[in-house]
Amino acid sequence: MAVLRNAATGALRLAGITNIAAANRHHARDSRRPLALLGIACRHCQGSGADG
């Protein structure tokens, strides 16, 4: 689990985010946000109505 958390933190830092705790909370609210950060499109999530 630590490896996944470290990878997520690294991705946030690479994206230029400095407040990691706030970014973790922000991305946890909508499952599409972490995917978008990584450049992954989720076909299943398209048009679900949850805005980011």
Side-chain angles (χ1 to χ4, degrees):
M1 294 304 275
V3 171
L4 295 175
R5 183 166 180 88
N6 289 341
T9 300
L12 292 171
R13 289 187 191 276
L14 284 174
I17 296 170
T18 56
N19 190 339
I20 301 300
N24 281 337
R25 290 188 298 270
H26 173 78
H27 284 81
R29 288 187 204 111
D30 184 356
S31 62
R32 293 179 298 168
R33 291 176 182 163
L35 296 175
L37 179 70
L38 298 172
I40 300 171
C42 178
R43 285 186 288 144
H44 162 18
C45 301
Q46 297 296 327
S48 66
D51 290 333

